[in-house]
Amino acid sequence: MKLILREYNLKLKHTFTISRESIDVQPSLIVELQSDGFSGFGEATSNPYYHITVPMMISDLEKIRAIIENTENETPEAFWSKIHPYLKDDMFALCALDLAYNDLYARKKGKKLYELWNYKTDHNPLTDYTIGIDTIEKMVFKMQELPWPIYKIKLGTKEDIAIVKELRKHTNAIFRIDANCGWTVEETINNAVELKKLGVEFLEQPMKADNWEGHKEVFKHSVLPVIADESCIIEEDVAKCFNHFHGVNVKLVKCGGLTPGKRMIEEAKKLGLRTMVGCMTESTVGISAIAHLLPQLDYVDMDGALLLAEDIATGVTIEDGIINYSNLNGTGVTLL
């Protein structure tokens, strides 16, 4: 097996702002694995919140190049277990590698990934489209630029309710709110009351990740469901979220890829938690991998490639929230 690493700088259509940062360009690493005439592709992006850079991911993967390239015909689960000890401190790099290996494995089996997993795609959820923090005028413009059935609105300002009230005047779409750890317990409970009136479906990670007492308080008193994001990073976190959140948002880059992501979703379902997978601002490479988990999800946020000025790959396509799979096997990705 041959390992190929490619570094990209993904340009965004608009400056993307959340409660803790703004970006115009998103650095990304694409991993390609070649074997027996087949290629599999994976992706992970840099992330300052988690202290991850593309050069760091490349360095970590280069250190174990020989181990990776000496692998043949192992299952994705066996491969992940073998590589995890070497990349346990860089789950983003492990994610990119795991996505590529799952893609390659399915292509060699002659199946799409969801077919390999025996998932049925008849009732896949729609993806939301994210509106980053901006002036109200620009947030309205972004909605008008891409009319969509579900919007995820980034908040964490002192004018959050006013923003949502104004946005509601311009669309009947479902709203989801992501405060990215920007609220207090009292703000969350009070805001939930007002936001429910404004057609908000749920709140995502309103408070700081480690505020478990606060999460429990909100869980008891919020009139809206609350979904964990920053509080649910790796497999062990799913059980912690029980009785503290109503659901979990699994991010593949944080947990180390599709292989552990699947296990997290299964664990969440056993605990009665709602299931969601979210994306980063990434290309169609990473987004196409997420698509194969859709049959197991209540919600999905996989709009990352829609935020780009120019994509670097083809794969799944998204129209009006509906995800259409590529005709190709694996995750269906081809680099442009």
Side-chain angles (χ1 to χ4, degrees):
M1 189 161 65
K2 185 179 179 183
L3 171 68
I4 300 168
L5 305 176
R6 296 182 179 92
E7 187 173 356
Y8 290 90
N9 286 309
L10 307 175
K11 293 182 180 178
L12 278 60
K13 285 181 190 171
H14 305 288
T15 299
F16 187 73
T17 301
I18 63 174
S19 62
R20 54 179 176 258
E21 64 170 335
S22 295
I23 60 168
D24 293 293
V25 176
Q26 176 61 66
S28 181
L29 172 67
I30 302 297
V31 170
E32 179 180 356
L33 293 174
Q34 295 180 345
S35 176
D36 298 332
F38 295 94
S39 285
F41 300 94
E43 179 176 20
T45 56
S46 67
N47 192 301
Y49 182 79
Y50 294 101
H51 311 292
I52 299 293
T53 67
V54 170
M56 178 180 123
M57 288 190 280
I58 291 173
S59 173
D60 288 340
L61 289 167
E62 287 290 359
K63 289 172 188 172
I64 56 169
R65 175 180 284 275
I67 296 169
I68 294 166
E69 294 190 332
N70 285 330
T71 298
E72 282 297 333
N73 301 320
E74 292 183 4
T75 65
E77 292 78 15
F79 180 66
W80 192 91
S81 294
K82 179 173 77 173
I83 298 297
H84 175 256
Y86 300 99
L87 293 177
K88 64 182 186 296
D89 295 323
D90 189 348
M91 291 300 219
F92 283 59
L94 181 56
C95 170
L97 186 63
D98 177 78
L99 267 54
Y101 194 85
N102 271 279
D103 184 19
L104 177 66
Y105 187 82
R107 290 188 198 226
K108 290 171 82 169
K109 296 286 185 183
K111 293 186 176 182
K112 294 179 173 64
L113 205 47
Y114 71 78
E115 293 172 337
L116 192 68
W117 296 336
N118 294 315
Y119 289 171
K120 304 298 181 189
T121 60
D122 308 5
H123 302 291
N124 284 356
L126 302 180
T127 181
D128 55 39
Y129 179 74
T130 304
I131 306 295
I133 296 171
D134 212 323
T135 63
I136 288 177
E137 292 75 19
K138 287 184 179 176
M139 292 174 84
V140 169
F141 170 78
K142 289 173 187 176
M143 290 196 311
Q144 293 172 338
E145 181 184 51
L146 192 64
W148 211 253
I150 311 169
Y151 289 110
K152 181 182 193 178
I153 302 165
K154 295 285 190 177
L155 295 179
T157 75
K158 295 301 179 188
E159 304 297 327
D160 286 342
I161 302 300
I163 289 170
V164 179
K165 281 182 177 177
E166 187 59 35
L167 296 184
R168 177 48 76 204
K169 295 176 185 177
H170 300 272
T171 179
N172 292 320
I174 293 168
F175 284 169
R176 297 168 177 172
I177 300 300
D178 185 358
N180 282 112
C181 311
W183 293 347
T184 64
V185 172
E186 186 177 12
E187 281 177 316
T188 302
I189 293 169
N190 292 339
N191 286 349
V193 174
E194 295 304 311
L195 292 169
K196 186 175 183 181
K197 297 174 190 172
L198 293 166
V200 169
E201 186 176 28
F202 63 73
L203 306 177
E204 185 179 337
Q205 195 69 47
M207 299 174 303
K208 289 184 178 178
D210 59 356
N211 186 4
W212 291 98
E213 281 302 311
H215 298 318
K216 196 165 190 177
E217 190 73 9
V218 166
F219 176 77
K220 289 178 183 174
H221 299 292
S222 174
V223 297
L224 286 174
V226 184
I227 309 297
D229 181 358
E230 285 87 347
S231 295
C232 188
I233 297 173
I234 56 175
E235 294 181 64
E236 292 77 8
D237 293 334
V238 176
K240 292 181 192 175
C241 291
F242 181 67
N243 282 338
H244 290 79
F245 291 91
H246 302 87
V248 293
N249 180 4
V250 176
K251 296 279 185 71
L252 301 185
V253 290
K254 297 180 188 178
C255 71
L258 285 164
T259 301
K262 276 181 66 191
R263 294 194 292 253
M264 290 174 75
I265 292 164
E266 289 163 8
E267 174 73 4
K269 289 169 93 70
K270 286 176 187 173
L271 292 170
L273 292 164
R274 300 181 197 188
T275 56
M276 177 177 178
V277 167
C279 66
M280 300 303 191
T281 307
E282 57 198 307
S283 79
T284 288
V285 175
I287 297 302
S288 293
I290 292 171
H292 293 264
L293 294 169
L294 286 173
Q296 298 295 95
L297 305 180
D298 297 304
Y299 318 113
V300 70
D301 171 35
M302 49 182 290
D303 65 338
L306 298 174
L307 303 174
L308 301 180
E310 191 174 312
D311 209 337
I312 59 169
T314 59
V316 298
T317 57
I318 304 173
E319 188 173 350
D320 203 32
I322 299 168
I323 293 90
N324 300 297
Y325 293 95
S326 164
N327 291 325
L328 300 177
N329 289 327
T331 62
V333 165
T334 302
L335 289 184
L336 294 172

